Amino acid sequence: MYKKCTLLVMAYTKKIDHQELVACACKLVEQEGVEALSMRRLAQILDVQASSLYNHFADKSALLAEVAERGLYRLAEKLEHASALARPNPRHQIEAMGLTYREWALQHSHIYTLLFMGAPPLEGDAPPSAAATFAPMLAATAQLVGEDQAEAATQAVWAFIHGFVTLELTGHMQRCLPAEGFTLGLTCLVQGLGR
Amino acid sequence: MYKKCTLLVMAYTKKIDHQELVACACKLVEQEGVEALSMRRLAQILDVQASSLYNHFADKSALLAEVAERGLYRLAEKLEHASALARPNPRHQIEAMGLTYREWALQHSHIYTLLFMGAPPLEGDAPPSAAATFAPMLAATAQLVGEDQAEAATQAVWAFIHGFVTLELTGHMQRCLPAEGFTLGLTCLVQGLGR
DNA sequence: GTCTATACCTTGATAGAC
DNA sequence: GTCTATCAAGGTATAGAC
């Protein structure tokens, strides 16, 4: 009797923790990609009805934004760490960040795709955690080419790394061992920038 | 009477020309992107029922492959032309191809997205028109760094250009004038490769 | 070769009971 | 906060009449 009563009282009470929800969404995206993340699928994993999810965020895009931000912070941490290890030589820092960036992107391909291969960033023009991601690269390039050209140099280095990674991820660069072109290009680019 | 008879005879006869169909699909993708290309939409534009389209290709992916191949040939033509104009200096050729590539990609953003930002190429590992696209770049890099490193150098240059273009197309590089970082990076990369 | 009609799937999101 | 039930779209593809 008491048990039954307890169960009835327990019905329709909190089952979802927000952090757990986002973590689950991250995991799903990381393993199967953005297109695998549907309300129904996510609800099924959390053992909940799809409509219940809407009590925890406005719509799907809000959830995806949280997933993306989490990923971006992870990447930023890695880059900062790599840069710190290679200090104080800016060339070494840039090359180290490049290798780290590529490694992370290949290991978290679906998250990376969500971050940089999809639609433009949701917010106006200044993502919240984006600044932290590029800060170490900006610092290193500033040391290498001066403050004036730091932004352009960062763009160039980022473009190269991002381009290489995305070509690998989309399967457009399977011939020959890709790492060769990567290190060659990164070295040459840094060399060219540094004079 | 005769008129009516003629109309009846004309009914259920050929309305779709294959070339026209592909051209229409190209136009639609070029203007509104791949996701805008649905069987219903395409049929509506051609003033035909959606099911009729299946008499002209097996499925949607076959149609998309035709659209992509057409675009790739267009790009290949542009690159070949740009390279020819800048001969015989390989550095000038590479830089010219880079500028042309970027220009074409930005002008045909949706086609470019279809070509290089989506799933891996459909065929096993050797696209038909891909070779033609990269031939001039391979020739120029071979002249610059030798046959041995030509492939790696081509990968590096391609990665840079592709990366820059895709970051522009996805809106991840709107701050500051992007062309600055592009020419800077391309010049430095070519410079670094050529010694 | 085109037509009508439809089967069958997916998705995001909402209303109202509890 | 969760539930059931449902809406409103959208997609690819097929069967069979003409």
Side-chain angles (χ1 to χ4, degrees), chain B residues 70-83:
Chain B
R70 215 180 241 230
L72 197 55
Y73 268 118
R74 298 263 170 88
L75 174 59
E77 282 175 10
K78 295 278 188 187
L79 293 181
E80 173 56 45
H81 184 237
S83 180

Side-chain angles (χ1 to χ4, degrees), chain A residues 107-122:
Chain A
Q107 280 173 351
H108 307 82
S109 57
H110 291 125
I111 298 285
Y112 187 81
T113 300
L114 172 65
L115 284 177
F116 295 122
M117 295 177 72
L122 300 171

